[in-house]
Amino acid sequence: MADHLPPSLHGVRRWAKAHPTGPDALLAAFVLCGMIVGSFGNPHQPEGPRWAEQPPETLSVVLMTLAALSLVLRRKYPVAVLVAAALCTAVELATGDPRAPVVVACGIALYTFAVHTDRPTAWRIGLLTSAVLVGVAMLTGPLPWYAQENFGLLAWTAMAVAVGDAVRSRRAFITAMRERADRAERTREEEARRRVAEERLRIARDLHDVVAHHIALVNVQAGVAAHVMDRRPDQAKEALAHVRRASRSALDELRATVGLLRQSGDPTAPTEPTAGLERLDDLLGTFRDAGLPVRLVTPEPLAGGPLPAAVDLAAYRVVQEALTNVQKHAGSGAQAEISVVRVGSQVEVTVLDDGRGAEAAGPADDGGHGLLGMRERAAALGGHLTAAPRFGGGFRVHAILPLEPPDPTAPVAVPGQSAPGPAAGRDQERR
């Protein structure tokens, strides 16, 4: 309801929150005036309550003034204000005849105390205050103990505690709702940031795989062309033709990958990368042209029909990155063997080489992300990837990719990230 207030009232409301003593002073003045006016009423006339011509006694005026003044500090010191108002009320109940309505200030103090504490404490203190006031009125007051005014104190104090507890509960409910809304908003923002980070990581992996693969092939073919340019120009031309094809293929894949960054409403934006196992022969052909013998032992076609798009892309990228590592690190004369088979509800991708690995490689590329990217691809699908040297020489990359999407609430385990031995660690750093 506060949101529909006029702008001027919003300013008053903000001022009241920033300076609570001011509104409390106005309340105290209003309560004092009300109590003084009410003290002129005499309910004990034979013909019933009537307006009295005699002003209230001096002690009653002093007690009303003290009780009203204590309300100025009711928000800062609710307990002390309640004690002061209850004492003034008890003295008036014991001495006043007729009694001045000092109990009004005590009711407001009880309300304030109930707003600033919990429910059990509010009702315990309220019952204690009511028992003390009623006991004083019955035992020491000028009226008979069974007078209606004495029992009316119970209703007055109980009503003050009930209203204060209701206001406190409503404020707590509104605060909880606002906190829940703020927490939901923060959760949505964190989820959006997480999705953006995942998308950036996925695109970064694709760019790494495309660039690393094709640049490695271009580097090899350019080296061959430079080596045979003078003696065998025909072979140099063939190597340069391979460089041209590799660079064109790299540009095509980069265009397809970067196209994923377009808006979803763009009709020309591709929704998935075009790479997949159906292009495996073309991929292996580029490595064979670069001088790396590659043997494919995968049955044609793959048993069980086509793979899901995400699994198909991940399998292709694992083969591409593993062969790129073989091309860069296995040394001259190395051979590679590729196996992609469906085993139940999983696809197993294996890349083997018989090269010399770390012994043939140059300085370690500590900044490489090839193995990390392959593991992330497998883990994103709920699978895992291992990469380690083979017994007797060479290297082995083995990925297990589930065909069914993983449970988003289940933790993702990456067994391939267990601590390797010294030799394996050095070789993985190079890859």
Side-chain angles (χ1 to χ4, degrees):
M1 182 178 296
D3 296 335
H4 302 287
L5 293 175
S8 58
L9 294 182
H10 273 296
V12 173
R13 191 165 178 263
R14 286 194 296 269
W15 176 85
K17 286 186 175 181
H19 307 85
T21 306
D24 289 341
L26 294 177
L27 175 65
F30 178 78
V31 171
L32 177 59
C33 294
M35 289 190 298
I36 291 177
V37 171
S39 63
F40 281 90
N42 189 349
H44 305 304
Q45 298 296 327
E47 61 274 13
R50 58 178 298 180
W51 190 262
E53 298 179 357
Q54 184 178 0
E57 298 178 359
T58 304
L59 180 59
S60 297
V61 174
V62 172
L63 293 174
M64 288 187 290
T65 303
L66 292 177
L69 288 176
S70 68
L71 296 180
V72 177
L73 303 176
R74 66 188 185 94
R75 301 192 202 188
K76 292 184 178 180
Y77 310 103
V79 177
V81 170
L82 175 59
V83 172
L87 287 176
C88 293
T89 303
V91 174
E92 177 63 23
L93 292 175
T95 60
D97 187 21
R99 295 167 179 170
V102 186
V103 70
V104 174
C106 185
I108 296 176
L110 268 175
Y111 160 82
T112 304
F113 179 78
V115 168
H116 289 84
T117 187
D118 57 278
R119 177 172 295 173
T121 303
W123 281 107
R124 283 197 296 265
I125 299 300
L127 291 176
L128 177 62
T129 303
S130 178
V132 171
L133 295 181
V134 173
V136 170
M138 288 182 174
L139 298 177
T140 63
L143 299 178
W145 68 269
Y146 51 83
Q148 185 177 1
E149 292 183 23
N150 296 337
F151 292 98
L153 294 172
L154 291 173
W156 179 255
T157 54
M159 180 183 66
V161 175
V163 173
D165 181 65
V167 171
R168 180 198 56 78
S169 299
R170 182 178 181 275
R171 290 178 180 176
F173 174 76
I174 293 176
T175 302
M177 293 297 293
R178 289 176 178 173
E179 291 178 352
R180 186 178 303 175
D182 293 341
R183 187 164 54 250
E185 183 66 23
R186 289 195 301 269
T187 302
R188 284 194 296 268
E189 293 176 356
E190 292 172 358
E191 178 67 15
R193 287 194 295 267
R194 185 186 65 82
R195 290 181 180 274
V196 169
E198 289 181 352
E199 184 67 12
R200 288 177 178 173
L201 181 60
R202 185 176 68 84
I203 294 175
R205 285 197 299 262
D206 285 337
L207 290 176
H208 172 272
D209 293 344
V210 171
V211 172
H213 164 61
H214 291 289
I215 295 302
L217 296 182
V218 167
N219 180 63
V220 172
Q221 295 292 350
V224 172
H227 181 68
V228 300
M229 179 66 72
D230 296 330
R231 294 176 299 168
R232 303 180 60 181
D234 293 340
Q235 187 174 355
K237 290 181 179 180
E238 182 180 355
L240 291 176
H242 289 314
V243 169
R244 182 179 181 183
R245 285 196 296 270
S247 60
R248 183 185 296 114
S249 178
L251 289 175
D252 293 340
E253 291 201 39
L254 285 174
R255 187 179 298 110
T257 303
V258 175
L260 295 174
L261 299 175
R262 293 183 179 181
Q263 296 181 359
S264 58
D266 192 340
T268 63
T271 57
E272 290 292 340
T274 57
L277 291 180
E278 71 279 359
R279 296 180 51 191
L280 191 57
D281 290 336
D282 297 336
L283 175 67
L284 300 185
T286 61
F287 284 102
R288 294 186 181 110
D289 293 338
L292 175 64
V294 182
R295 187 165 66 97
L296 179 64
V297 298
T298 301
E300 292 290 348
L302 189 65
L307 301 177
V311 179
D312 193 29
L313 172 63
Y316 179 87
R317 293 302 189 195
V318 167
V319 173
Q320 183 184 54
E321 179 62 27
L323 290 180
T324 301
N325 286 338
V326 174
Q327 180 75 42
K328 292 192 296 184
H329 303 299
S332 59
Q335 298 183 1
E337 179 179 292
I338 312 299
S339 172
V340 182
V341 295
R342 187 194 299 262
V343 180
S345 60
Q346 298 175 336
V347 172
E348 295 189 8
V349 181
T350 306
V351 180
L352 307 175
D353 72 80
D354 57 0
R356 289 172 292 164
E359 297 177 2
D365 182 13
D366 295 333
H369 299 281
L371 289 178
L372 178 61
M374 287 192 290
R375 288 196 178 99
E376 289 176 348
R377 286 186 182 277
L381 298 175
H384 64 274
L385 181 141
T386 57
R390 300 172 61 193
F391 180 76
F395 208 81
R396 176 179 182 269
V397 176
H398 181 68
I400 298 179
L401 308 175
L403 298 178
E404 297 295 331
D407 182 2
T409 61
V412 178
V414 186
Q417 291 185 346
S418 58
R426 290 192 298 269
D427 211 33
Q428 289 180 12
E429 287 180 352
R430 299 176 186 274
R431 294 176 179 240

